[in-house]
Amino acid sequence: MDREAERPTHLLGVLAVAAVPVAAVPAPGTLTSAVLYLASVSLSLLFISRLVGQVPAHRRRGWRLVQLSLGVSLLGEVLFKTWQHHDHTVYPTPGDPFYLLSYLPLAAGLLELNRRRGGHFRLGDRLDVLIVTASAACLALVFLVLPVMRDDHLGLAGQAVSSAYPLMDVLMVFAAVRMLIDGGRRTPTLWLLVTGLSCLLAGDVAQQLAGADTDSVLFPRWVNSLWLMSYLGLALAIAPAARPGYLPPQPSPGQSPMTVTRLACMTLAAALPPTLLIAEAGRAEVGEQVLLSIGTVVLVALLMLRFWDLHRQLEQHRRAMGELAATDGLTGRAGPAGLGPAGTGRPRARPPDRHDRAAGGAGCGPLQAVQRRPRARGR
């Protein structure tokens, strides 16, 4: 696109970014707040809708699914804001089915974009994703789903809807972690998608925790701002991919390495659920569940320490093998045997021997010396 054609897109992006803080100015629950909120979501949807056609056709499917998710979310927001100003007694709200439905194309689109991004996904990466996802699922079940199922004030439909939100958030955690730890190159599109997902998860968890203590449908400004930033981040992520001449990242060989930072994250994910259970159970008397949780934390810590020690030994072995491969076995000097200095790939010059000196020239072997002798004349 030329500069004239890009101006509406730039203006739309600026308006979408500016609409997020503007929507947080009015008091929640007012008509002005609802209008500005819906305007912010609409601008994000318009931005991604304008750019999705500029993405090459073979990489467009994932963005179409993200666009569909934002469209379904906007429909849910319109229904929810309408219900919020007319009827506060019915739950689930008319917007809840659309909110829940929007998670499915979003997850499918993110997984498709991750596949197109060029990342490899091998067994080690799968295990790491499962560790983090299982940790998130355990926390969601204990602190979000089970309290809802025990709530007598909610009907069957209310319990089902309130329990579905944490499960959908676990699905988003799976998609986000899968994008972060595979072997693909980190791009601005990746970080914008992860930022949008993080804001979505933070807003959902805050709303669910607040909903356990109050029956109000008016959410704080910062919670609404988190949801608006999630829409904005998911929409802006398409901008780098829609640029003319954009080259997608090339697949990286092998799986991402097991670093100390990655091992620490896996340790935190594995130890977080029993740690929180210990803190929660500590309010009451110490029982078998608390002791079992403490034992689980200790075992996880010992197991991860063992993995760290194994990782350290493998790194030492790798460095030793590298030094050995760079050493000449005959001379003990640096550089592979038979190659030039420091493994340059050039043949190493052989020092002259007695055959060379007898032949009157250095650098020639016995065979060359024999060939240089004058031939005997025949009769």
Side-chain angles (χ1 to χ4, degrees):
M1 290 192 307
D2 55 8
R3 293 185 179 273
E4 292 296 331
E6 289 180 351
R7 284 183 180 179
T9 303
H10 292 164
L11 178 60
L12 190 59
V14 171
L15 291 177
V17 173
V20 174
V22 171
V25 174
T30 62
L31 180 61
T32 305
S33 174
V35 171
L36 292 178
Y37 188 95
L38 294 176
S40 177
V41 181
S42 301
L43 288 172
S44 298
L45 178 59
L46 288 175
F47 183 83
I48 191 174
S49 300
R50 181 175 177 81
L51 291 181
V52 70
Q54 301 174 18
V55 179
H58 65 282
R59 293 189 283 111
R60 196 177 298 167
R61 180 182 177 184
W63 295 113
R64 289 290 188 190
L65 291 171
V66 176
Q67 179 191 17
L68 176 61
S69 174
L70 292 182
V72 176
S73 297
L74 177 59
L75 181 57
E77 296 287 3
V78 172
L79 294 175
F80 175 77
K81 295 299 182 182
T82 304
W83 169 87
Q84 194 176 41
H85 286 277
H86 292 86
D87 187 5
H88 293 175
T89 60
V90 179
Y91 185 80
T93 71
D96 284 317
F98 295 94
Y99 288 147
L100 294 173
L101 186 62
S102 66
Y103 286 92
L104 300 180
L106 179 58
L110 293 175
L111 295 179
E112 174 67 17
L113 292 175
N114 186 65
R115 186 176 68 87
R116 291 292 181 182
R117 196 169 60 89
H120 288 274
F121 210 63
R122 292 178 171 84
L123 179 60
D125 297 328
R126 296 177 187 273
L127 292 176
D128 291 343
V129 171
L130 289 178
I131 290 174
V132 178
T133 306
S135 176
C138 180
L139 294 175
L141 288 174
V142 173
F143 294 100
L144 298 176
V145 176
L146 292 181
V148 168
M149 300 304 295
R150 299 191 189 102
D151 191 352
D152 298 332
H153 299 286
L154 292 176
L156 182 60
Q159 291 178 346
V161 170
S162 299
S163 301
Y165 279 109
L167 300 180
M168 291 299 177
D169 289 336
V170 172
L171 182 61
M172 295 298 102
V173 170
F174 172 80
V177 175
R178 178 163 180 167
M179 289 191 300
L180 281 174
I181 71 172
D182 70 357
R185 180 167 58 90
R186 305 296 188 262
T187 61
T189 294
L190 170 67
W191 294 119
L192 286 171
L193 290 174
V194 172
T195 301
L197 286 178
S198 300
C199 293
L200 175 63
L201 293 173
D204 285 353
V205 173
Q207 180 268 331
Q208 291 159 14
L209 292 178
D213 300 327
T214 178
D215 296 330
S216 176
V217 296
L218 299 179
F219 306 119
R221 286 187 175 94
W222 64 273
V223 175
N224 289 328
S225 297
L226 285 174
W227 284 326
L228 290 179
M229 285 189 292
S230 71
Y231 295 136
L232 180 63
L234 294 174
L236 293 180
I238 196 176
R243 290 176 180 173
Y246 171 78
L247 296 177
Q250 298 298 321
S252 58
Q255 65 185 20
S256 50
M258 173 57 73
T259 61
V260 176
T261 302
R262 184 172 178 175
L263 183 59
C265 293
M266 296 303 105
T267 305
L268 177 63
L272 188 58
T275 302
L276 293 180
L277 288 177
I278 293 173
E280 184 71 15
R283 301 175 182 178
E285 61 182 47
V286 178
E288 294 83 356
Q289 293 81 2
V290 177
L291 297 177
L292 182 61
S293 299
I294 294 175
T296 303
V297 173
V298 173
L299 290 176
V300 169
L302 293 176
L303 183 62
M304 291 304 173
L305 285 175
R306 183 66 184 92
F307 286 161
W308 174 80
D309 181 66
L310 178 61
H311 170 71
R312 183 179 56 84
Q313 294 179 19
L314 291 176
E315 286 294 321
Q316 293 177 353
H317 179 70
R318 182 183 63 82
R319 288 193 293 267
M321 294 299 294
E323 294 175 358
L324 180 62
T327 304
D328 192 332
L330 297 178
T331 64
R333 299 177 180 177
L339 298 179
T344 59
R346 297 190 299 271
R348 189 189 302 275
R350 185 177 56 82
D353 55 14
R354 60 186 181 87
H355 298 288
D356 299 325
R357 290 190 292 271
C364 300
L367 181 59
Q368 289 81 358
V370 173
Q371 291 177 350
R372 289 191 178 188
R373 292 176 183 174
R375 298 177 60 184
R377 299 180 179 179
R379 291 187 296 177

